[in-house]
Amino acid sequence: MRKRFEHGIVVDRPVGEAFPLFTPKGEEDWVPGWKPDYFPADGDKTRKDLLFATGSGDERTWWTCLEWEPDRHHVRYLRLTPGNRAAFVEVNCKARGPRSADVVVSYDMQSLGASGEAYLAKMTDADFAAMIGEWPGMIEKAAPRL
């Protein structure tokens, strides 16, 4: 099974401050429990081909950065949760005004087994929008201003 989800949010920060929040290191500031393991261990600077992992057990997920275009405020990742699901994850930011940014997040997800089929069967556009829709509040609550 394959499904694609996309949702846009507004982040109350200039685009130059908003975009870095959607890198692996930047998400450490505002996503509860987000603590990637970087390979190599000191490789936490986002760049093309960056490799990192999150989660544990059945939800251990491997990520790599496929496209890194900071001048365009664009990043694209491949995430793989073995035996479950894979997804291309894309984030695009653009200035909404001098103090805010439009952020569009998309996940193109593919099941890789029975657990992935069940996960995707339950996931709806409304679920995805609700998940991404929480991010501006999480950012404002947790992330220090740059």
Side-chain angles (χ1 to χ4, degrees):
M1 177 183 303
R2 190 167 191 158
K3 287 186 174 180
R4 186 174 192 289
F5 302 98
E6 181 175 290
H7 187 69
I9 56 176
V10 176
V11 174
D12 289 329
R13 295 174 190 228
V15 70
E17 286 183 26
F19 179 66
L21 294 170
F22 300 97
T23 63
K25 190 68 174 169
E27 289 191 19
E28 288 181 34
D29 289 337
W30 62 273
V31 178
W34 179 267
K35 182 68 175 123
D37 297 316
Y38 298 96
F39 301 93
D42 63 348
D44 62 358
K45 182 173 175 19
T46 304
R47 65 189 181 288
K48 187 177 181 303
D49 300 330
L50 169 68
L51 180 63
F52 62 101
T54 59
S56 62
D58 290 345
E59 284 297 310
R60 182 68 166 171
T61 301
W62 294 89
W63 299 72
T64 190
C65 181
L66 299 175
E67 297 173 15
W68 175 242
E69 300 173 299
D71 293 344
R72 291 186 47 229
H73 305 110
H74 166 82
V75 63
R76 186 169 183 250
Y77 304 98
L78 171 64
R79 59 169 282 166
L80 172 67
T81 307
N84 189 305
R85 64 195 181 278
F88 293 101
V89 178
E90 193 165 353
V91 178
N92 288 289
C93 299
K94 68 177 184 175
R96 180 180 186 88
R99 294 195 168 119
S100 63
D102 288 318
V103 180
V104 177
V105 179
S106 67
Y107 274 56
D108 184 353
M109 302 177 82
Q110 172 72 50
S111 62
L112 301 176
S115 58
E117 288 281 327
Y119 181 93
L120 284 178
K122 290 190 312 187
M123 177 68 83
T124 67
D125 289 332
D127 294 333
F128 186 80
M131 178 183 71
I132 303 301
E134 293 178 353
W135 290 6
M138 293 166 65
I139 288 168
E140 287 308 308
K141 181 178 177 184
R145 298 257 177 190
L146 300 177

